[in-house]
Amino acid sequence: MKQIYIIIITLLALSTNLNAQETQAAEPKVGLVLSGGGAKGFAHIGVLKVVDSLGIRVDYIAGTSMGAIIGSLYASGYSGKQLDSIFKGVNFDDILNDNIPRSAKSTYEREISERYAITLPFDHLKVKLPTALSKGQNTFNLLTKLLLHVSSEDDFSKLPIPFFCIATDVETGQQVILDKGNLPQAVKASGAFPSLFQPVDIDGKLLIDGGVVNNYPIKELKAKGMDIIIGVDVQDGLANRTDLSSAPQILFQINNFRTINDMKIKSKMTDIYIKPDISKFNVVSFDDGNQIIHNGEVAAKKEIDILKQLKAKQHYTPSKKQTDLSPDSLQINYIETNGIDKYTRSYILGKLKIRPYSKISYNDLSEGANNIVATNNFDSFFYELKPEQDNTYKIITNVSETKKTTFLKLGLHYDDLYKSAILANITKKQFLLKNDVVSMDFIIGDHVRYNLDYFIDKGIYWSVGLKSRYNEFSQGIVANAFLTPTQINTTGVNKINAELSDFNNQVYLQTLFRNDLVLSLGVEHKKLRVKTETILSSEDEKETLFENSNYVSLFGELKYDTYDSKYFPTEGVLFSAQGNHYVYSSDFSSTFSPFTILKAELGYAFKVSDKLSFNLVTDGGFKINPKANRFLDFVLGGYGNNFINNFKPFYGYDFLSIAADSYIKGGVSLDYQFLPKNHIMVAANYANVEDRLFDGTDWFSWPEYSGYAVGYSFESFLGPIEAKYTISPETKQSYWFFNLGYWF
């Protein structure tokens, strides 16, 4: 009897299980297709928030471009609400422009990036255009961080929700379905908008934005066995004549012909078709993200009844756990390097600044990746984080070494000292060695100049450098910069119209303790020539030569620079200490004796709000053995960012107006960025300047000199455009200073 009961119970259990399986099997498989559309794709997030609120189970996701980005994150486990929070916290200006943080660049790389307006590949005497505006490294870094929790999975069908995305083979024009491999790289390829983002090499195929061939992969999704398709379409409609005012707009229109015609068919294939109102937005309307997300919610709620009907058909809905954000730190066991030929493993590790068997922050990893990209020695760089035992990771790096080693760089500049100038530069990497670079600036304008740099980069080891520079300008210079008190009394002049030329050569060793801390030691040769037509000893003379000497000195410099911007710092610290010991002179004036010049600068920038920042700066210097000639004394006045020797800017006074063998100066500037790249500047500076200033306590007294400035600055592609009005209460005189372009 007991056996009969057991049989009956077993049969009932099997029957119940079979019925459940039949019910589950009868449930429709739901696919979700998300189109591309740039910033308009934020509407996908709004739709997903509604889908989540109804508890609808999605069985497969397909996406293109922005649809691929959001789709991959949702497939990995993020909720619509989480995606809302994540994307609201992203600075899309940095993402789109590939703004590599200044901190990621070495001292030499900063100088290069902060001097030239245009950089073009130059090969076989032919100028080539870059393949894209951005390498997309910041996009990749962000995706890698957000998708870290699924980094062990190479098969996208095994994600919490199966997923694939579409890219375009730029060589064949054929679509490529990406459903395996490195997920962040695949998504980056799907969103590599032509000319904006660099193509992505995957398995030997050069891939760009999937929207070029298939912006709404519904057929491919149906082929995965999906019964019901929810589709979100954020593609543009056709623009009218008034909106077609530029070449890019016309190109967009031409591409839209195909996608719009495709959607006439594909929309009918979509069971639940959601079309958010994105008519007022474009592909780069990232500042309108909140409104676009809201419009996505509104569009989804219009289909709320049919979505509820779908939910009613789903008896099985797995509980969706909230995905944890990536950890702040990673334990690294091993670093694998691939794709290296000309460069060494130690070079890659040196730039990454990551060591095996160490704990790092994710920001450290991103900064290391940016360090490599900032060298411009690689066409592409990507990495994988592979989890191992005990919550540790292995880093697999892949680089593609650039074949572009020669570059033409251009710049345009005007300031009140050097006047107008055009800069043409030729830079050659791997000139003599694999890790060297030679750079030659030719500056043509009112004053001819040149800069030659040769640098063998060994990172944290001792690098070797050579610099050669020639400068010249004509300017009224305060008389005591060159004349003795007796000569001034005899001639009765306070200012001399002088022509100065400076020929400077350095050989040095340099080591990086980190990107922002560098020590340099070397030998310097200087040929200094100063002449005037203001003072003549006889009627037969056409000019008076004050100085025409060669100098040799030993020098050292320690520099710590964490400013986030050279020209408009909003945060960071700047410290520089430099010393020159002059051991030899050809002694044109017969007054030479060995002397030492020491100088230092300290700056601190900080934000008060998103738009308002302050920069506090103090600097000073003095000469040891003040009996030596005066031609390398400190001379203050004017505004500039590229003064040579010991000339120092000082608001309220004309160029080169205050001279002595020692000085101390302090200043504060207020920067109000009322619009992106637009600045209102207010500044004040104070100084004590006199011979042997630091022999007593006078340097600590109330400032003898002061000046104030107010101005406007604009960050253009040529560099800063500035106009500043300055005044000094001591002299009651005012000066306007103008600047156009990067300083060089």
Side-chain angles (χ1 to χ4, degrees):
M1 191 67 175
K2 185 177 179 181
Q3 292 177 340
I4 294 174
Y5 281 128
I6 293 173
I7 293 171
I8 292 171
I9 292 171
T10 303
L11 290 172
L12 288 171
L14 287 171
S15 176
T16 303
N17 188 48
L18 287 170
N19 287 333
Q21 289 182 1
E22 288 175 4
T23 301
Q24 185 174 332
E27 291 182 22
K29 291 184 179 290
V30 179
L32 175 66
V33 58
L34 305 175
S35 81
K40 295 174 295 180
F42 279 165
H44 296 319
I45 297 173
V47 174
L48 293 175
K49 289 169 69 176
V50 175
V51 169
D52 285 347
S53 70
L54 297 173
I56 293 173
R57 184 188 75 249
V58 176
D59 297 297
Y60 225 117
I61 300 175
T64 298
S65 197
M66 182 60 85
I69 294 173
I70 293 173
S72 67
L73 294 171
Y74 191 72
S76 74
Y78 289 104
S79 67
K81 188 175 181 180
Q82 283 181 299
L83 294 178
D84 191 344
S85 299
I86 290 170
F87 278 84
K88 285 178 179 177
V90 174
N91 186 331
F92 283 94
D93 283 340
D94 290 343
I95 295 292
L96 289 175
N97 297 322
D98 217 11
N99 287 335
I100 303 299
R102 191 169 184 261
S103 59
K105 303 172 184 176
S106 67
T107 301
Y108 180 81
E109 291 158 353
R110 292 176 191 182
E111 291 177 0
I112 297 300
S113 63
E114 296 166 342
R115 190 186 304 173
Y116 309 109
I118 299 172
T119 299
L120 299 170
F122 190 71
D123 189 26
H124 296 96
L125 300 179
K126 294 181 179 179
V127 176
K128 297 183 178 180
L129 294 176
T131 57
L133 296 176
S134 169
K135 292 183 178 180
Q137 189 63 43
N138 285 332
T139 302
F140 179 80
N141 290 342
L142 177 62
L143 289 170
T144 301
K145 181 179 182 179
L146 294 174
L147 295 169
L148 179 64
H149 60 288
V150 292
S151 58
S152 63
E153 192 54 75
D154 296 329
D155 187 346
F156 305 165
S157 67
K158 296 181 180 179
L159 293 172
I161 302 176
F163 168 80
F164 70 85
C165 59
I166 302 295
T168 303
D169 188 328
V170 74
E171 293 182 290
T172 65
Q174 300 298 310
Q175 80 168 14
V176 177
I177 297 177
L178 299 172
D179 56 7
K180 291 182 174 63
N182 179 267
L183 182 57
Q185 191 189 28
V187 173
K188 178 187 172 186
S190 182
F193 191 84
S195 75
L196 179 59
F197 291 113
Q198 182 175 281
V200 179
D201 189 337
I202 297 180
D203 297 333
K205 296 179 179 179
L206 202 59
L207 305 181
I208 59 173
D209 195 313
V212 174
V213 291
N214 188 356
N215 204 36
Y216 192 82
I218 187 172
K219 295 179 182 178
E220 293 75 12
L221 186 58
K222 279 183 172 293
K224 298 294 184 179
M226 298 299 104
D227 302 304
I228 294 177
I229 302 293
I230 302 173
V232 188
D233 178 15
V234 294
Q235 301 175 90
D236 280 319
L238 292 176
N240 56 41
R241 180 181 299 184
T242 57
D243 294 328
L244 298 173
S245 56
S246 67
Q249 290 170 328
I250 293 174
L251 290 173
F252 278 128
Q253 181 87 333
I254 294 171
N255 186 65
N256 286 341
F257 291 154
R258 179 191 53 77
T259 58
I260 290 172
N261 286 330
D262 282 350
M263 284 308 302
K264 292 177 181 178
I265 300 171
K266 291 180 177 180
S267 62
K268 296 177 181 178
M269 299 170 61
T270 309
D271 302 284
I272 305 175
Y273 180 66
I274 300 173
K275 178 69 174 176
D277 180 9
I278 40 86
S279 58
K280 297 180 180 179
F281 312 104
N282 56 49
V283 294
V284 292
S285 298
F286 294 101
D287 291 339
D288 299 311
N290 288 340
Q291 185 61 51
I292 298 173
I293 291 172
H294 174 73
N295 287 7
E297 289 187 65
V298 172
K301 288 177 180 178
K302 289 181 180 179
E303 308 296 332
I304 196 74
D305 290 338
I306 193 170
L307 288 170
K308 286 181 178 179
Q309 292 174 19
L310 172 61
K311 171 57 185 172
K313 297 176 182 179
Q314 293 183 324
H315 305 289
Y316 167 73
T317 303
S319 59
K320 191 171 185 179
K321 298 181 180 180
Q322 182 162 304
T323 300
D324 294 330
L325 294 176
S326 301
D328 293 329
S329 61
L330 304 168
Q331 181 65 43
I332 305 302
N333 278 352
Y334 182 72
I335 303 174
E336 180 182 315
T337 54
N338 299 305
I340 302 172
D341 179 26
K342 297 176 181 178
Y343 297 91
T344 63
R345 170 179 167 85
S346 60
Y347 179 82
I348 299 295
L349 295 181
K351 291 296 181 182
L352 278 175
K353 292 183 170 51
I354 298 173
R355 297 290 181 264
Y357 308 104
S358 63
K359 191 173 185 178
I360 64 169
S361 70
Y362 194 88
N363 287 337
D364 290 338
L365 177 58
S366 295
E367 288 178 7
N370 288 336
N371 291 345
I372 292 176
V373 174
T375 66
N376 289 316
N377 293 329
F378 307 97
D379 286 332
S380 66
F381 171 76
F382 79 93
Y383 53 91
E384 298 179 81
L385 289 167
K386 292 298 184 182
E388 297 191 319
Q389 296 180 349
D390 302 324
N391 294 319
T392 62
Y393 291 87
K394 177 173 75 172
I395 301 178
I396 303 173
T397 68
N398 290 270
V399 299
S400 174
E401 297 178 348
T402 185
K403 296 180 181 179
K404 306 181 186 80
T405 59
T406 307
F407 300 88
L408 173 66
K409 303 177 181 182
L410 303 171
L412 180 68
H413 184 80
Y414 173 86
D415 65 69
D416 297 289
L417 182 62
Y418 287 102
K419 308 303 180 183
S420 59
I422 296 174
L423 167 65
N425 169 276
I426 293 291
T427 296
K428 172 67 177 176
K429 294 185 175 183
Q430 301 170 23
F431 180 61
L432 300 174
L433 303 169
K434 289 183 177 180
N435 57 334
D436 72 353
V437 57
V438 62
S439 172
M440 183 70 182
D441 288 340
F442 300 93
I443 303 170
I444 303 171
D446 292 293
H447 300 282
V448 177
R449 293 174 282 157
Y450 85 81
N451 298 298
L452 172 65
D453 285 276
Y454 177 74
F455 191 67
I456 304 173
D457 188 359
K458 295 186 177 182
I460 61 175
Y461 304 104
W462 285 100
S463 302
V464 180
L466 183 150
K467 290 185 177 183
S468 181
R469 180 194 71 201
Y470 176 78
N471 263 268
E472 67 173 32
F473 60 82
S474 302
Q475 180 65 32
I477 304 176
V478 62
N480 68 334
F482 305 133
L483 303 181
T484 65
T486 302
Q487 291 173 319
I488 294 173
N489 291 331
T490 303
T491 59
V493 298
N494 294 318
K495 210 162 190 177
I496 302 170
N497 291 322
E499 295 181 21
L500 183 147
S501 64
D502 181 275
F503 177 51
N504 190 280
N505 304 284
Q506 292 181 344
V507 179
Y508 62 94
L509 300 175
Q510 185 181 94
T511 185
L512 285 172
F513 298 103
R514 44 188 289 179
N515 276 354
D516 41 33
L517 181 59
V518 59
L519 173 66
S520 303
L521 301 170
V523 180
E524 179 183 271
H525 161 260
K526 180 183 290 293
K527 173 67 180 292
L528 186 62
R529 179 182 173 89
V530 184
K531 66 180 183 179
T532 183
E533 298 178 2
T534 304
I535 303 173
L536 303 176
S537 58
S538 70
E539 294 182 357
D540 296 332
E541 288 187 342
K542 295 182 179 180
E543 62 184 29
T544 297
L545 199 60
F546 290 116
E547 172 67 312
N548 192 26
S549 297
N550 288 283
Y551 294 89
V552 176
S553 68
L554 306 175
F555 75 89
E557 182 181 15
L558 180 66
K559 189 172 185 179
Y560 177 69
D561 182 5
T562 65
Y563 275 175
D564 58 347
S565 170
K566 176 180 179 179
Y567 299 105
F568 305 99
T570 62
E571 56 186 9
V573 175
L574 171 66
F575 172 75
S576 175
Q578 182 178 340
N580 284 72
H581 179 58
Y582 292 85
V583 296
Y584 168 81
S585 172
S586 58
D587 203 10
F588 173 79
S589 57
S590 302
T591 59
F592 177 79
S593 61
F595 65 98
T596 302
I597 293 179
L598 300 175
K599 53 189 176 183
E601 180 181 5
L602 177 64
Y604 174 56
F606 59 95
K607 284 185 178 181
V608 177
S609 67
D610 290 340
K611 294 184 177 183
L612 182 63
S613 61
F614 284 85
N615 190 21
L616 307 177
V617 180
T618 183
D619 59 288
F622 61 94
K623 181 188 289 184
I624 300 175
N625 185 13
K627 294 181 181 180
N629 65 64
R630 307 194 64 102
F631 298 108
L632 290 171
D633 280 2
F634 299 97
V635 189
L636 280 65
Y639 173 68
N641 208 285
N642 62 336
F643 286 169
I644 63 171
N645 297 335
N646 298 312
F647 301 148
K648 302 293 179 180
F650 194 76
Y651 294 128
Y653 288 78
D654 198 4
F655 291 99
L656 312 178
S657 295
I658 314 167
D661 64 27
S662 52
Y663 84 103
I664 186 169
K665 183 183 77 168
V668 58
S669 62
L670 179 153
D671 180 353
Y672 179 67
Q673 189 173 179
F674 62 97
L675 289 172
K677 302 184 183 298
N678 289 265
H679 305 258
I680 295 294
M681 312 288 292
V682 179
N685 54 197
Y686 309 91
N688 280 321
V689 186
E690 64 180 71
D691 291 339
R692 307 176 71 105
L693 174 66
F694 297 100
D695 286 358
T697 59
D698 289 347
W699 65 274
F700 201 65
S701 62
W702 189 260
E704 184 178 358
Y705 303 96
S706 63
Y708 303 89
V710 61
Y712 165 78
S713 302
F714 173 68
E715 299 177 64
S716 75
F717 79 96
L718 292 172
I721 300 174
E722 301 177 285
K724 294 186 176 182
Y725 174 78
T726 74
I727 189 169
S728 171
E730 294 88 38
T731 64
K732 308 298 191 249
Q733 291 184 311
S734 62
Y735 299 92
W736 277 97
F737 296 116
F738 297 96
N739 163 63
L740 167 66
Y742 293 113
W743 293 88
F744 51 76

